[in-house]
Amino acid sequence: MADLAIAPPRQEAAPEGAAQLRHARMLSVGARCALPVALLLGIGFLAPLVAIFGYAFATPRSFDVFTSFTLANFATLFDTTNTVWLSFFWSCGLALLTVAILAVVAYPIAYGLNLVFGRWSALISVFFVFPLFVSENVRLYGWVLFFIKNGVLDGTLKWLGLAGGPEVLYSPGITLFGMVYTYLPFMLFPMTLGLALVPRDLVDAARDLGAGRLFIWREIELPLAMPGILIGMLLTFVLAIGATAEAKILGGQSIIVISHDIEIAFTYSQNWPLGSALAVLVTFFIGALTLFALSKLDLDRMLGRR
Amino acid sequence: MAHISRRSVLQGMGAGLGALAAAGPLFNANKAFAAREKELNILCWEGYNSAQVLDPFRSQTGATVKAESLTNDPTMINRLRAGEINTWDLINVNNPWARKVMLPEKLIKPLPKAEFEPFFAKMMPEFKWPYKWAMSEDGSELIGMAQRFGPYSFVVNTDKVSRKTAEDTGWDLFNDPALAGKYGILESDDWNVFNIFIIAGIDPFKVHTPDEFAKFEETAKRVFKGAKLIGDIASMNQALISGEIDLHMTGGTYSVSPARADGHPNLRGITPLRGPLPGGKGGIAWIEITSTVNNPNLSPLALDFLKYVQGPEVAHTVAFAEGTFNPVAQMGNKACFDLFTKDELDAIQWDSLQEEMDRSAEYDIVPDYDKALDLMNAAKRLRG
């Protein structure tokens, strides 16, 4: 085992003289050592965003990034005849529905992980995490094989002498199913954490004072677990609004989602400026929504500092 | 027991940074080894990037060969336009792009004729020197080598729609309301633009009038609305095999051959007997042309690789590289043709290849593609 010799804490004495003042204002050794990596990460984070932002104002269907400036791409997107709003509508609608369904589905599981499953909780958690180790596309193709005509479900039912499975593939409904399936862990675990922060003493006290189960849930559990629930909802919404694979693989492109529209602009259309403008709009929309939601969250309470 | 202190960590980091500084030139290998004798970068359609094709070349040359596959031509060409001309050595795209776009824009450079002309003598008759798509517009320069090709119109499950009916009815199958909900559309939007024009009874490879665009828009909305699914090649083959769909628009040897090789000979690429293309042709065929990029520091291995894939064994491997199976021009050479088994020939529909190619116009560029694609994308959004 390695010993880590930790330097004694720095004396916080008032600096004396210009040299000491300069020394005090300098970054610590650790910060200076981390500077190159921090710069690299900063550039890596900012460079693509700056490029996308630059392209959003470039001449349509050109590569004149930073050398041309036009609002034509945004004008195209806001043109009333442009049907891109349909894609936006589908992405937002499906993301909202995904969040709503997951909130209802994940809550009992999160409750169970905290209070019911006991020593099995860890194993059950692993079952929910395990699918994340397999590529999303592979899992979705697996569902196609399950639902497809003469596939696992239909074939088994026919083998049993029944009429066969329902025709569910290639529809907006199955796209929603795919999104709920894919994003379940992202709702479940923040929610589990939120519920874990509810002090059991408070629940017991309320019960002792005669509060009913519904009252305790509404007045104590839900408000105290809300930061975790909201984080889960936010995370799920942000991921779901950018989802493409579900609509493509399970949904058979029965609807076109906004991220697919961006992809088309960058590939077949080769209209990088239009795709960038669309990406910028979606980024701002999600960013504004995230900031709004975070402003409503009391992180101190969530982290248990109060 | 290791003793780690802040000092030792800092010393270690200092030594690491020193080593990094010393190794700095390696990060700029392109310039350090100006000739790039041991490096080759290929931008291609899938197949040329397979280990079956590349590994023997890597072993022969000891070179680092990188290949990236993409599934549409404009993306590859725009990668060069966007500055990657210094990265790639070979580019493999469909026939018209080299001659009509990449050479005039100086994105590719001509090949030494004397070295490559003899290879055309061993190709199938229609590829004989001077093969149109391998030459510059004025015929003076050799700008690429031909290899894979194939007809590409639509695919049917012949148990549901017979080959005779499909060839005779042609593109009107997609105008038939009875077939709505029974067909898929391959996600290959440049080809879908061609095919929507053809279904509308219009030659795609010309400048279109407003009336023709109105017809195109109406057809696109109807055809996309009637499609059961839009997806990639695997999705189309899976849907055909399972019985979800009876046919799909945009497809041919390239897309259906893996399913045929997998024991589904009832799935078949169809080239209609007639259509609105010049000469009354009903289908479109593609021919890949591989060219040397106008890289100021072109790898000498680029020319070696172009010669390597002309060999009978390698050409056969290219034809049956993972992903898709296709005929190759080198099948004109008996030594190459003899390597194909009966099953392989059946997978690539060798029995009807010649007549299908004869009924097909060659892939070309749609002059007003951008407008047509925008209309088609809008039509696609109305599916939901």
Side-chain angles (χ1 to χ4, degrees):
Chain A
M1 189 178 155
D3 290 334
L4 195 61
I6 299 169
R10 199 165 43 141
Q11 300 257 330
E12 292 300 333
E16 290 172 16
Q20 273 183 305
L21 192 67
R22 198 167 53 245
H23 182 76
R25 281 181 184 164
M26 276 176 71
L27 291 170
S28 69
V29 176
R32 270 180 279 156
C33 288
L35 204 59
V37 177
L39 275 175
L40 193 69
L41 290 176
I43 292 167
F45 174 74
L46 284 175
L49 292 181
V50 170
I52 290 285
F53 199 76
Y55 263 113
F57 296 97
T59 310
R61 296 189 198 274
S62 78
F63 294 92
D64 305 332
V65 62
F66 304 126
T67 56
S68 64
F69 181 86
T70 173
L71 295 173
N73 301 307
F74 292 97
T76 304
L77 293 176
F78 285 108
D79 187 334
T80 47
T81 58
N82 194 332
T83 52
V84 75
W85 64 269
L86 273 173
S87 310
F88 199 73
F89 164 81
W90 277 113
S91 282
C92 284
L94 285 173
L96 284 172
L97 279 172
T98 304
V99 169
I101 293 170
L102 277 176
V104 176
V105 170
Y107 192 88
I109 307 171
Y111 188 85
L113 286 173
N114 272 307
L115 297 165
V116 181
F117 302 145
R119 63 195 178 92
W120 296 102
S121 289
L123 184 68
I124 293 170
S125 297
V126 169
F127 287 146
F128 282 104
V129 173
F130 193 71
L132 297 177
F133 293 115
V134 181
S135 151
E136 184 187 337
N137 283 8
V138 172
R139 285 183 284 141
L140 293 175
Y141 274 114
W143 279 116
V144 171
L145 291 177
F146 184 81
F147 283 121
I148 204 165
K149 196 182 271 187
N150 298 315
V152 177
L153 179 67
D154 187 56
T156 308
L157 290 173
K158 282 178 180 165
W159 182 73
L160 292 170
L162 300 168
E167 280 200 29
V168 292
L169 278 181
Y170 317 130
S171 64
I174 198 75
T175 304
L176 180 63
F177 166 83
M179 289 167 73
V180 168
Y181 161 75
T182 305
Y183 298 117
L184 176 64
F186 299 95
M187 177 68 93
L188 179 63
F189 292 110
M191 200 178 251
T192 307
L193 184 68
L195 275 170
L197 293 174
V198 178
R200 297 325 298 169
D201 295 348
L202 219 55
V203 175
D204 293 340
R207 192 174 293 130
D208 290 346
L209 291 168
R213 293 178 77 163
L214 190 65
F215 188 85
I216 293 173
W217 176 75
R218 200 183 64 218
E219 296 295 328
I220 297 174
E221 276 185 355
L222 202 58
L224 290 179
M226 197 47 87
I229 296 172
L230 284 179
I231 290 279
M233 285 177 153
L234 193 65
L235 189 61
T236 312
F237 182 79
V238 169
L239 290 170
I241 207 168
T244 318
E246 292 80 4
K248 276 184 163 183
I249 297 171
L250 283 171
Q253 298 185 30
S254 51
I255 51 160
I256 304 295
V257 289
I258 198 73
S259 46
H260 189 190
D261 254 326
I262 296 173
E263 186 187 318
I264 290 171
F266 276 95
T267 52
Y268 288 105
S269 292
Q270 284 299 303
N271 195 349
W272 294 16
L274 185 72
S276 300
L278 199 49
V280 165
L281 275 186
V282 174
T283 307
F284 272 102
F285 175 75
I286 297 175
L289 208 70
T290 309
L291 287 176
F292 174 75
L294 285 177
S295 70
K296 298 285 170 197
L297 285 179
D298 188 342
L299 286 174
D300 277 342
R301 184 196 289 175
M302 192 183 73
L303 295 171
R305 285 182 190 157
R306 264 196 223 160
Chain B
M1 195 193 299
H3 182 79
I4 301 172
S5 68
R6 191 170 67 180
R7 178 177 291 273
S8 69
V9 168
L10 287 174
Q11 279 173 344
M13 282 178 68
L17 284 172
L20 208 62
L26 291 177
F27 291 102
N28 207 359
N30 283 3
K31 285 185 182 131
F33 304 102
R36 295 180 63 226
E37 283 107 348
K38 294 290 175 191
E39 185 185 319
L40 178 68
N41 297 326
I42 308 168
L43 194 57
C44 57
W45 280 79
E46 66 178 321
Y48 284 102
N49 61 329
S50 76
Q52 298 148 282
V53 175
L54 297 181
D55 279 354
F57 188 73
R58 287 180 178 126
S59 309
Q60 275 176 30
T61 58
T64 303
V65 184
K66 291 178 190 154
E68 183 177 336
S69 82
L70 294 169
T71 51
N72 75 79
D73 299 317
T75 302
M76 287 194 243
I77 294 162
N78 278 336
R79 293 274 293 266
L80 299 188
R81 285 176 178 146
E84 292 186 21
I85 203 164
N86 298 316
T87 305
W88 302 104
D89 299 299
L90 289 169
I91 182 165
N92 158 254
V93 287
N94 282 308
N95 44 304
W97 299 101
R99 177 185 169 108
K100 294 188 175 180
V101 174
M102 293 199 293
L103 188 71
E105 290 187 29
K106 295 190 168 50
L107 297 172
I108 55 172
K109 59 174 91 173
L111 297 170
K113 272 197 273 191
E115 284 181 49
F116 284 92
E117 186 182 337
F119 290 112
F120 286 87
K122 292 184 174 180
M123 292 186 191
M124 290 167 71
E126 53 270 46
F127 294 90
K128 290 288 186 246
W129 182 270
Y131 178 56
K132 177 186 167 185
W133 296 112
M135 308 299 290
S136 59
E137 292 272 27
D138 62 4
S140 64
E141 304 276 12
L142 173 65
I143 55 169
M145 295 299 285
Q147 189 147 50
R148 301 190 296 185
F149 68 98
Y152 213 54
S153 295
F154 58 86
V155 173
V156 301
N157 177 349
T158 52
D159 293 343
K160 303 285 178 69
V161 183
S162 72
R163 177 183 165 189
K164 187 174 180 310
T165 303
E167 286 183 342
D168 201 40
T169 313
W171 295 99
D172 273 339
L173 285 170
F174 297 94
N175 285 321
D176 182 355
L179 285 176
K182 291 183 178 171
Y183 62 85
I185 298 177
L186 183 70
E187 187 183 23
S188 186
D189 282 352
D190 41 356
W191 284 88
N192 288 338
V193 165
F194 306 164
N195 295 340
I196 294 288
F197 270 123
I198 299 175
I199 293 168
I202 303 162
D203 175 8
F205 306 123
K206 68 177 192 77
V207 177
H208 300 96
T209 64
D211 283 350
E212 286 172 331
F213 268 120
K215 187 99 188 289
F216 175 89
E217 187 176 10
E218 180 274 317
T219 309
K221 284 178 181 167
R222 182 166 39 77
V223 170
F224 274 92
K225 189 83 180 169
K228 182 153 192 179
L229 80 153
I230 305 170
D232 56 17
I233 289 176
S235 300
M236 287 301 125
N237 285 333
Q238 195 179 44
L240 280 170
I241 291 165
S242 67
E244 289 277 0
I245 55 172
D246 298 340
L247 68 164
H248 75 79
M249 183 183 94
T250 297
T253 324
Y254 179 82
S255 68
V256 80
S257 52
R260 288 175 63 81
D262 247 5
H264 300 281
N266 54 323
L267 310 185
R268 190 173 184 93
I270 296 289
T271 304
L273 294 176
R274 62 196 81 82
L277 290 149
K281 291 186 175 185
I284 301 172
W286 55 273
I287 305 103
E288 280 178 0
I289 298 291
T290 309
S291 307
T292 44
V293 174
N294 193 15
N295 185 333
N297 201 7
L298 187 77
S299 165
L301 293 173
L303 296 182
D304 294 344
F305 186 82
L306 277 181
K307 291 172 187 165
Y308 159 79
V309 293
Q310 298 297 316
E313 284 85 9
V314 182
H316 173 253
T317 308
V318 168
F320 274 80
E322 64 194 44
T324 77
F325 312 139
N326 302 283
V328 287
Q330 290 70 23
M331 288 172 86
N333 177 2
K334 190 175 180 306
C336 178
F337 184 83
D338 288 347
L339 296 172
F340 286 78
T341 64
K342 185 186 169 301
D343 286 345
E344 287 176 340
L345 291 174
D346 193 39
I348 59 173
Q349 297 183 200
W350 180 255
D351 59 332
S352 61
L353 183 67
Q354 193 57 56
E355 55 175 294
E356 290 193 63
M357 290 300 288
D358 291 344
R359 290 205 293 267
S360 298
E362 288 166 318
Y363 178 116
D364 213 335
I365 294 168
V366 177
D368 32 28
Y369 172 78
D370 291 344
K371 187 177 177 190
L373 185 66
D374 287 346
L375 289 173
M376 199 180 79
N377 285 334
K380 226 193 262 187
R381 290 191 201 107
L382 297 176
R383 267 167 63 71

